[in-house]
Amino acid sequence: MSKIAVIGGTGMNSWPGLEVLARIDADTAYGKPSAPLLRGRVYGVEAIFLARHGEGHKLPPHAINYRANLQALAEAGVQRVIAIAAVGAIAPWFAPGEVAVPDDLIDHTWGREHSYSDGRPGSVLAHVEFTHPYSPALREALLAAAAAGGVQAAAQGVMAVTQGPRLETPAEIRALQREGSDMVGMTGMPEAALARELGLDYACLAVSVNWAAGLSPAGAGIHDEIHASIEVGMAKVRAILERALPGLA
């Protein structure tokens, strides 16, 4: 049984080096997850990998069945979840190619099935504690692994989660700046809250892949920045996971 899972997003729709031992075609009370759970061995430990956007990276952020994804992981025995997220940088310290372990978030999504407390027969009304949206212990483990591997990773950051799939306007980014956001992504919620409802430890490795709208240097296109930065950042993510997983699995 694998106790640790990695949810991969843009830039990590597969896990290089993962020796797949089993493909679990899960089916939950909330439907099927985005893709089969890949149970395998990597870095000498057993782990589960789930492609958040599905095989072939086809599911847009608002159409992901987050409830099925987290429920399937819980039913597979997972206790700790590391979410990989490609994000746009708002804070000046978070240049493309850098990695952060965010410690807070602001949810701007709408219309997503965001809770297991949905009033259906058998559901229970639960007001989960969310003062720390990300597990402090798991965050510290990731930061320690980054330090041990010589990878610079910011130990803080507020993640704004927008609806997508379109990118934001410059005015929207200015509004996110004013509310205190350091980065912007599209998949962090309801994923983090659902993990909390299920009692799973959850933390995020956020990779800056571009400056958010209106913040890019003159002449730089967002998609050009993403292409240039994503592999640099994901290489850092893999280096952190290599150090972290043996102590977490």
Side-chain angles (χ1 to χ4, degrees):
M1 181 179 291
S2 303
K3 295 182 179 180
I4 184 77
V6 171
I7 300 178
T10 300
M12 194 174 171
N13 207 53
S14 61
W15 193 347
L18 178 69
E19 177 192 359
V20 178
L21 302 175
R23 286 170 56 96
I24 304 171
D25 291 307
D27 194 0
T28 76
Y30 306 96
K32 290 182 172 293
S34 297
L37 309 185
L38 301 183
R39 183 175 62 82
R41 292 191 65 81
V42 65
Y43 314 135
V45 301
E46 190 171 299
I48 285 178
F49 178 77
L50 174 60
R52 183 190 287 116
H53 294 278
E55 294 181 309
H57 199 267
K58 296 177 180 178
L59 291 172
H62 67 286
I64 292 169
N65 191 337
Y66 295 94
R67 293 199 299 181
N69 284 354
L70 274 298
Q71 184 69 29
L73 293 177
E75 290 178 1
V78 167
Q79 298 173 358
R80 302 180 183 93
V81 178
I82 300 172
I84 313 302
V87 301
I90 297 176
W93 51 261
F94 198 32
E98 298 298 322
V99 175
V101 184
D103 61 348
D104 210 343
L105 58 80
I106 302 173
D107 186 10
H108 290 280
T109 65
W110 50 270
R112 303 182 183 189
E113 297 286 357
H114 67 280
S115 175
Y116 295 108
S117 296
D118 58 4
R120 297 199 306 179
S123 69
V124 177
L125 178 59
H127 300 287
V128 294
E129 171 64 39
F130 218 42
T131 301
H132 301 287
Y134 304 102
S135 164
L138 189 51
R139 289 187 65 254
E140 288 303 317
L142 293 176
L143 290 167
V151 178
Q152 184 174 355
Q156 73 288 318
V158 177
M159 170 93 72
V161 188
T162 56
Q163 181 71 355
R166 68 164 178 85
L167 299 175
E168 300 74 30
T169 69
E172 288 170 334
I173 294 302
R174 291 194 297 271
L176 295 179
Q177 282 178 313
R178 288 192 294 271
E179 72 181 16
S181 296
D182 298 305
M183 62 195 76
V184 57
M186 300 177 186
T187 58
M189 285 292 285
E191 199 171 84
L194 292 169
R196 180 60 50 84
E197 288 189 8
L198 291 172
L200 305 179
D201 289 334
Y202 178 95
C204 175
L205 285 173
V207 179
S208 172
V209 297
N210 63 278
W211 291 112
L215 301 179
S216 299
I222 285 179
H223 291 290
D224 292 335
E225 286 182 328
I226 293 173
H227 180 74
S229 304
I230 197 163
E231 184 49 41
V232 173
M234 289 302 166
K236 295 177 181 179
V237 163
R238 293 192 293 271
I240 294 171
L241 293 176
E242 183 174 6
R243 292 275 183 167
L245 261 61
L248 294 171

